[in-house]
Amino acid sequence: MNSKKREPIAICTWAFEKANAAAGAALSQGMSALDAAIAGVAVEEENIKNTTVGKGGAPDREGNVTLDACVMDPTGNCGAVACVEGYTNVAALSKKVMTDTPHVMLAGQGAEEFAAKKGFTRDRLLTDDSAAAYKEWLKTSEYKPIINIENHDTIGMLCMDINGDIAGACTTSGLSYKMKGRVGDSPIIGAGLFTDNEVGGAAATGMGEEIMKSVGSFLIVELMRNGMSPQDACKEAVMRTIRKNPDYKDFQVAYIAMNKRGETGSYCIHPGFTMMEYKQGDNRRIPSNHYISKE
Ligand code: SD4
């Protein structure tokens, strides 16, 4: 085992500055990559102003807020929950699925009963603001995913701890006003998140259906395994979607990645996506390269 301490690194999707700083600080104090990622994303799960993650997330078209999340640890173990109502910290709940059950994923009522058994506090996730926005939406009931909701979107986070181990977490309320029961990429291991401690990790945000079709995060880790930089691997994953789907201008797909050397990268279809990067105590916002140059 390598006893040399590494500089910890945290990266996350969008401009979730506080969440990434929280993970960076926790890593600097020696927290494991997995626990730091869960602590980092919890900042957004609990942020009621964020309408696409955790409490305060936009509901489905019937008014229910349903959350999706997953985590993956340096041993390759993982856990996930899908379509969970009434519990805010679904990344932490995903870890419990990983550690305390023989399964990888629990969905819906089963996940909720499991959360209650594990002592998670039940909460009302539909805030007054998101209820008012939903009421407004009902007037037209037009389902139209918004390409970029800067600062307010799914959070996927990758951490490297002082032992050089890599883990990640991804958590979301999914697409606003989605169909009841719809689950996106975020809780799907390999789509919304994938890590391999020998290689690195990747996380996704954007149109979950497209990310699932290309198993984007797994693809990026495999491309890095074969020698691609995190940046080039993210680009190739986005290009797979662009080559296959002529309607790519109508949605956003964005990836972040980190390799075992601590190099990072990101790529997306539309301008407006940024990545946060915590390195050597510095928490920076890095605008992502994008395929479409102008909107
Ligand atoms: C989903 N990928 O549920 C998530 C949502 C998201 O930008 O990231 N929106 O499809």
Side-chain angles (χ1 to χ4, degrees):
M1 216 178 104
N2 186 358
S3 60
K4 211 168 143 243
K5 295 290 175 221
R6 295 276 302 256
E7 266 297 332
I9 302 169
I11 61 173
C12 76
T13 54
W14 304 101
F16 293 128
E17 220 171 303
K18 281 191 189 147
N20 209 56
L27 289 165
S28 301
Q29 284 162 16
M31 193 180 270
S32 73
L34 179 66
D35 287 339
I38 292 171
V41 301
V43 170
E44 286 309 318
E45 289 175 335
E46 288 157 19
N47 174 7
I48 58 167
K49 295 270 177 249
N50 182 337
T51 58
T52 52
V53 180
K55 186 169 176 167
D60 65 17
R61 58 187 66 176
E62 294 181 31
N64 312 301
V65 181
T66 62
L67 305 184
D68 299 333
C70 72
V71 298
M72 195 153 186
D73 84 0
T75 71
N77 216 353
C78 48
V81 294
C83 220
V84 175
E85 288 183 54
Y87 292 92
T88 302
N89 294 120
V90 281
L93 183 59
S94 301
K95 181 184 172 187
K96 280 281 179 216
V97 173
M98 177 179 89
T99 55
D100 294 14
T101 80
H103 306 303
V104 165
M105 180 183 273
L106 291 179
Q109 202 185 337
E112 290 153 23
E113 286 171 12
F114 176 70
K117 249 187 228 144
K118 291 292 159 186
F120 284 74
T121 316
R122 212 177 154 78
D123 202 357
R124 185 181 131 90
L125 301 186
L126 189 69
T127 56
D128 292 346
D129 282 354
S130 43
Y134 171 61
K135 244 178 136 183
E136 198 50 41
W137 176 81
L138 277 177
K139 288 181 185 162
T140 55
S141 301
E142 196 189 348
Y143 179 64
K144 213 185 196 186
I146 299 165
I147 286 172
N148 272 313
I149 316 170
E150 214 173 339
N151 298 349
H152 300 282
D153 231 301
T154 295
I155 181 163
M157 184 177 282
L158 301 164
C159 290
M160 183 189 282
D161 61 30
I162 57 174
N163 298 316
D165 289 327
I166 293 174
C170 186
T171 178
T172 190
S173 55
L175 298 178
S176 307
Y177 315 127
K178 59 194 176 186
M179 282 178 73
K180 183 176 183 180
R182 182 266 185 189
V183 173
D185 62 305
S186 305
I188 309 295
I189 295 295
L193 175 77
F194 195 75
T195 62
D196 181 325
N197 200 31
E198 287 172 24
V199 179
T205 178
M207 185 61 71
E209 283 70 10
E210 297 301 319
I211 295 159
M212 289 154 92
K213 285 177 203 167
S214 59
V215 201
S217 292
F218 180 72
L219 172 62
I220 290 167
V221 172
E222 290 311 297
L223 292 170
M224 292 196 297
R225 190 191 305 280
N226 292 325
M228 259 194 201
S229 68
Q231 178 65 37
D232 289 350
C234 287
K235 184 170 182 183
E236 175 55 21
V238 168
M239 292 312 297
R240 294 262 172 118
T241 298
I242 287 172
R243 282 185 218 115
K244 286 234 158 80
N245 191 335
D247 297 327
Y248 67 85
K249 286 191 178 122
D250 298 339
F251 53 81
Q252 176 67 297
V253 164
Y255 293 105
I256 61 168
M258 169 162 66
N259 67 15
K260 198 65 182 168
R261 286 197 294 276
E263 295 160 342
T264 62
S266 69
Y267 199 77
C268 60
I269 300 178
H270 292 271
F273 174 64
T274 62
M275 168 176 87
M276 290 303 306
E277 181 188 75
Y278 177 96
K279 244 182 197 174
Q280 299 184 317
D282 206 24
N283 199 31
R284 286 197 307 144
R285 181 177 170 167
I286 304 175
S288 175
N289 288 346
H290 38 85
Y291 182 74
I292 295 176
S293 52
K294 282 215 175 89
E295 291 292 80

